[in-house]
Amino acid sequence: MQQNALGVVVIGDALIDEIHDTGGVRELVGGAALNVAVGLRRLGVPTTLVAMVGDDEAGAHIRGYLADHDVRLIASAAPHGSSRAIVQRDAHGEPTYVFNEAAQRRSIRYGQEARQALLDADLAVISCFPFDVPAEVDAVAEALVGVRVAIDPNPRAGMLSDRAEFVRGFERLAVDAAMVKVGADDAVLLYDGDLDALRSRLRALGAEAVLATAGKDGAVLEADAGTFSAGISALPGPVIDTVGAGDATLSGVAEGLVGKRPQTGEEWQLLLERAMDVAAATCRAEGGLLRTPESLEAGERGVTGS
């Protein structure tokens, strides 16, 4: 795998997914931001994760997982311990989430190490951030001055305390962002459900590019070079778990924003299609660990996200 000399800093959540389904109970390391950080590293991009991680057994598991994948962690203190999501899957595999107190009261601080990492990075990615807490938005906005940013609001109903405040905080950072990713679920939870209208709104706010994902209906990416679409990529093997698809898509697009930026319509289209290939490969195994079509061919189907 080709290594990219330029790095990315990912800001957001890192947690334990405690999964309950017909197979019993098991734990996987997860979190949208963590998945993106590990995904970018697996795509050859040097990556740092800035997240709240506790000094507890769960935190040790998170730290070990990141170390295994060569992702640098800059941890904020976690007075309530590490975040945890209780994930219940129904007979069709659809998840519902209940978050512990640590996840609901998550907070991130930006000390000298984090600020230097941001200054050194070619891109910062924010995912599953507490945009409904003004003090958190103020802190990250101040730390990101002069930094190119890609944003995925990735709201979770179980952690969302103030929808209107979340939208205000998210849109404050979306202005002039290099890229904003939104999904159909985001449009329903935060706006009126119209994903196309949300894409246009974010472009009007000043986002350089907007990636809108719509599950089985594929994705649309809009930039100055035009509007591009791609369907779900057809790969061998059954779909096992769709939970990490959005994070994988974000990782795939973010990788293409590091270093040489896409300029032409053809470059944007190829970037989107590659990201959709990565998302489809990730869905061929349980957990949020990013896969590529090439890694599946190399026999990585059985590798879990923890």
Side-chain angles (χ1 to χ4, degrees):
M1 180 182 296
Q2 183 177 2
Q3 298 294 307
N4 194 317
L6 297 171
V8 173
V9 174
V10 184
I11 300 171
D13 61 333
L15 50 77
I16 298 295
D17 284 322
E18 182 182 313
I19 301 173
H20 298 246
D21 60 15
T22 55
V25 180
R26 60 200 177 282
E27 294 185 352
L28 300 176
V29 172
L34 180 145
N35 288 339
V36 172
V38 172
L40 280 164
R41 190 69 194 99
R42 286 171 62 80
L43 292 172
V45 180
T47 309
T48 296
L49 175 66
V50 178
M52 188 186 77
V53 178
D55 293 322
D56 49 19
E57 183 178 353
H61 194 21
I62 292 168
R63 287 181 171 86
Y65 180 78
L66 291 170
D68 287 345
H69 289 284
D70 194 27
V71 173
R72 174 190 181 196
L73 172 66
I74 300 177
S76 288
H80 303 285
S82 296
S83 298
R84 177 176 291 266
I86 311 300
V87 186
Q88 298 276 357
R89 293 190 191 277
D90 63 21
H92 303 289
E94 292 300 317
T96 57
Y97 299 86
V98 176
F99 296 93
N100 69 354
E101 182 181 15
Q104 294 180 38
R105 299 177 65 178
R106 65 203 189 283
S107 180
I108 300 175
R109 292 294 173 261
Y110 308 92
Q112 182 177 354
E113 185 181 12
R115 290 173 183 274
Q116 188 60 53
L118 287 166
L119 286 174
D120 293 340
D122 190 58
L123 180 73
V125 178
I126 305 174
S127 184
C128 202
F129 185 85
F131 288 108
D132 51 352
V133 182
E136 295 291 326
V137 177
D138 287 344
V140 74
E142 194 271 333
L144 289 171
V145 171
V147 180
R148 292 175 65 242
V149 180
I151 303 172
D152 183 354
N154 218 334
R156 299 285 188 261
M159 292 192 288
L160 184 63
S161 62
D162 188 326
R163 171 180 150 170
E165 190 61 53
F166 191 103
V167 169
R168 278 192 292 272
F170 160 54
E171 291 190 350
R172 174 181 169 187
L173 293 184
V175 174
D176 297 329
M179 196 270 291
V180 179
K181 175 194 170 293
V182 287
D185 291 345
D186 304 335
V188 170
L189 188 57
L190 298 177
Y191 294 87
D192 60 3
D194 189 332
L195 185 57
D196 289 336
L198 177 54
R199 190 181 80 241
S200 297
R201 177 185 179 90
L202 293 168
R203 283 282 289 160
L205 284 173
E208 295 177 21
V210 178
L211 170 65
T213 58
K216 62 181 179 60
D217 294 323
V220 174
L221 195 159
E222 183 177 341
D224 288 347
T227 300
F228 314 95
S229 62
I232 298 297
S233 297
L235 295 179
V239 172
I240 302 299
D241 188 356
T242 62
V243 169
D247 300 334
T249 308
L250 176 59
S251 298
V253 172
E255 181 207 7
L257 300 179
V258 179
K260 181 180 181 296
R261 282 65 150 165
Q263 299 292 329
T264 67
E266 181 181 9
E267 289 172 336
W268 280 110
Q269 183 68 46
L270 289 172
L271 175 60
L272 176 60
E273 291 174 0
R274 174 59 177 172
M276 296 299 284
D277 287 346
V278 168
T282 300
C283 291
R284 263 59 186 180
E286 184 181 42
L289 182 66
L290 181 143
R291 278 84 172 173
T292 64
E294 297 80 13
S295 72
L296 293 185
E297 291 174 2
E300 202 185 41
R301 294 178 188 275
V303 180
T304 64
S306 180

